[in-house]
């Protein structure tokens, strides 16, 4: 029936009896409705998986024995095709001959793979809205995006399907969904986990990340995946805490206030006041007293990089040049018909020149050196993971663009400098961001209630294990 309906709409579209744009929107909605129906029928009510049935059993012994995990559909699994979030990619690539080392390492430690998860097209988005496969349902905020590009992995953990899921993080693709879905998530130090058998987006930014609800699980996985040869000195502890004042200025007021209360203690009597005070006390205890306020970008003002929003252009140019270098030939040869947002980003990426890259690379080197100096060997930088809670699905493009710029202003720090960043689900707020039809906080009252937001911890290169230990201690407060 749906197929006949689609055919009739296509015929009507060709007849020019009604405007073409509304018909295209109906066709897209029909396709996405079909995806949702298929997902529900496959025992996937949240549309988290592209392949719910794929199962690979792990070793019978190991530190992760019995742990179930899902993997984003950019990790190769031997004998299966990797879809990379786009049906044309799926159709034009053969089955993998070898399982990605990151996945195999978990299997060898006793974990079992249960399913490959949906993602944004070629990982080039932070929304989680896929024009071909639909938007996974955010269990923490129905009606709002789950975040991307590791959308399905975040949703699988948030829904309780699995206690662990692998994702990738280039510009925020683990950290952002973790914040939106109320999860723990980590982007490790660049280079600490093999990227072999993982479809690249921008190799000098790409990392293997993962999601969990339990900080013990998050840390146990790190003990297995992180290469000990690239670890920072185990004798160095994280004892110096800084608050990124300019990063907090980019957050919604409610989000900034809630996260600052997590850091410094509640400023008023609120339902979560006792828990918030406990975390704030533990943070000061573990990190050497009161945090120091810093404006992260200000020291680079003379170089034209004095605001975090200035760093967005550096990130976009460096990332986009690598994206087109990796995938431009395939895009040109196959015309994959990307969805909104992704299509425009690939068009932008194709136009980046080597001269633009050289200038951006020079600025990236300044940013990297500055952040490494700021953190030293014992510093931790605290900042909002995202400007606020998850935006509505199908939010107006102008709002999405504005939000994305603020978001990348926050997420680009770790990517530009190759630093580890861990996000903790330590606060819940109401959002002031309007939706597609003017939805806002008033419409949420008594329905979705408070929405999760994450507090991020950025550490020096190689401090991943120390951050994971710190997270476990803070979540236990």
């Amino acid at each position: 029936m749906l197929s006949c309906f689609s055919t009739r709409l296509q015929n009507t579209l060709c007849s020019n009896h009604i405007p073409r744009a509304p018909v295209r929107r109906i066709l897209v909605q029909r396709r996405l409705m079909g995806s949702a129906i298929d997902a529900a029928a496959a025992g996937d009510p949240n549309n988290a998986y592209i392949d719910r049935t794929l199962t690979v059993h792990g070793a019978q012994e190991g530190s992760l024995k019995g742990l179930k995990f899902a993997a984003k559909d950019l990790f190769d699994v031997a004998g299966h095709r990797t879809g990379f979030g786009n049906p044309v990619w799926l159709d034009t690539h053969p089955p993998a001959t070898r399982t990605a080392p990151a996945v195999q390492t978990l299997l060898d430690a006793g974990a079992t793979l249960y399913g490959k998860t949906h993602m944004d097209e070629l990982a080039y988005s932070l929304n989680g809205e896929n024009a071909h496969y639909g938007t996974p349902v955010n269990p923490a905020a129905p009606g709002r995006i789950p975040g991307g590009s590791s959308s399905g992995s975040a949703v699988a953990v948030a829904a309780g399907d699995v206690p662990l899921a692998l994702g990738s993080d280039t510009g925020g693709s683990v950290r952002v969904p973790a914040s939106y879905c109320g999860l723990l998530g980590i982007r490790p130090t660049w280079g600490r986990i093999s990227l072999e058998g993982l479809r690249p987006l921008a190799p000098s930014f790409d990392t293997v990340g993962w999601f969990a609800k339990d900080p013990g699980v998050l840390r146990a996985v790190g003990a297995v995946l992180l290469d000990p040869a690239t670890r920072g000195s185990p004798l160095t502890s994280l004892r110096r805490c800084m608050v990124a004042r300019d990063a907090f200025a980019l957050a919604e007021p409610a989000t900034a206030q809630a996260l600052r209360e997590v850091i410094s203690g509640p400023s008023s009597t609120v339902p979560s006041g006792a828990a918030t005070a406990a975390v704030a006390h533990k943070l000061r205890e573990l990190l050497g007293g009161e945090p120091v306020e810093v404006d992260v970008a200000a020291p680079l003002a003379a170089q034209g990089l004095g605001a975090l929003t200035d760093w967005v252009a550096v990130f976009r140019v460096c990332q986009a040049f690598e994206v087109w270098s990796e995938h431009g030939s395939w895009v040109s040869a196959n015309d994959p018909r990307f969805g909104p947002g992704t299509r425009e980003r690939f068009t932008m990426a194709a136009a980046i020149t080597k001269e633009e890259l050289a200038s951006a690379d020079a600025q990236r080197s300044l940013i990297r050196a500055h952040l490494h100096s700021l953190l030293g060997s014992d510093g931790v930088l605290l900042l909002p993971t995202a400007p606020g809670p998850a935006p509505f699905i199908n939010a107006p493009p102008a709002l999405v663009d504005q939000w994305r710029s603020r978001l990348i202003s926050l997420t680009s720090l770790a990517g530009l400098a190759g630093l580890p960043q861990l996000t903790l689900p330590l606060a819940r707020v109401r959002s002031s961001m309007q939706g597609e039809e003017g939805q806002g906080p008033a419409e949420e009252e008594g329905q979705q209630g408070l929405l999760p937001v994450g507090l991020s911890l950025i550490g020096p290169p190689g401090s991943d294990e120390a951050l994971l230990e710190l997270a476990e201690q803070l979540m236990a407060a």
Side-chain angles (χ1 to χ4, degrees), residues 79-90:
H80 299 268
R81 288 187 298 160
T82 302
F84 208 13
N86 183 276
V88 178
W89 184 281
L90 185 69

Side-chain angles (χ1 to χ4, degrees), residues 336-354:
R337 305 295 175 92
F338 292 126
T342 303
R343 177 174 57 245
E344 288 76 13
R345 280 187 284 280
F346 269 97
T347 299
M348 178 270 294
I352 300 295
T353 66
K354 290 182 179 180

Side-chain angles (χ1 to χ4, degrees), residues 179-254:
S179 182
Y180 290 171
C181 294
L183 301 171
L184 295 148
I186 183 171
R187 170 208 167 86
T189 301
W190 184 85
R192 292 212 58 193
I193 301 173
S194 171
L195 298 175
E196 185 182 349
L198 179 150
R199 300 307 99 216
L201 178 62
S204 76
F205 293 92
D206 292 345
T207 61
V208 173
W210 60 100
F211 302 92
K213 289 183 177 179
D214 184 335
V217 169
L218 199 80
R219 187 179 179 188
V221 172
V224 169
L225 286 179
L226 293 164
D227 180 2
T230 56
R231 181 179 181 175
S233 172
L235 300 177
T236 300
S237 60
L238 301 176
R239 297 294 299 170
R240 193 163 47 87
C241 184
M242 295 167 284
V243 176
R245 184 164 43 207
D246 44 356
F248 271 88
L250 292 166
E252 292 183 343

Side-chain angles (χ1 to χ4, degrees), residues 321-473:
F321 189 89
E322 292 186 27
V323 169
W324 192 252
S325 297
E326 289 291 331
H327 302 302
S329 297
W330 178 82
V331 171
S332 299
N334 292 279
D335 188 20
R337 305 295 175 92
F338 292 126
T342 303
R343 177 174 57 245
E344 288 76 13
R345 280 187 284 280
F346 269 97
T347 299
M348 178 270 294
I352 300 295
T353 66
K354 290 182 179 180
E355 292 74 21
E356 289 173 316
L357 175 66
S359 175
D361 263 342
Q363 292 180 310
R364 181 182 182 183
S365 294
L366 291 172
I367 291 170
R368 182 189 298 113
H370 167 58
L371 287 175
H372 285 208
S373 174
L374 178 68
L375 290 165
S377 62
D378 63 348
V380 176
L381 185 66
L382 306 182
L383 69 161
T385 306
F392 285 100
I393 294 171
N394 297 323
L399 279 179
V400 171
D401 289 345
Q402 182 186 57
W403 183 266
R404 181 178 172 84
S405 292
R406 290 165 63 198
L407 180 59
I408 295 176
S409 296
L410 298 173
T411 62
S412 64
L413 280 73
L416 287 166
L419 299 170
Q421 180 173 342
L422 193 152
T423 179
L424 306 175
L426 289 175
R428 301 181 74 86
V429 301
R430 299 194 187 280
S431 174
S432 62
M433 184 178 182
Q434 296 296 306
E436 183 179 24
E437 297 178 357
Q439 306 107 304
E443 292 191 26
E444 292 186 323
E445 198 85 33
Q447 296 179 21
Q448 292 170 274
L450 300 177
L451 303 165
V453 290
L455 176 68
S456 270
L457 289 66
I458 296 179
S463 65
D464 313 65
E465 288 88 350
L467 286 176
L468 288 164
E469 180 181 7
L470 178 60
E472 190 171 23
Q473 293 171 318

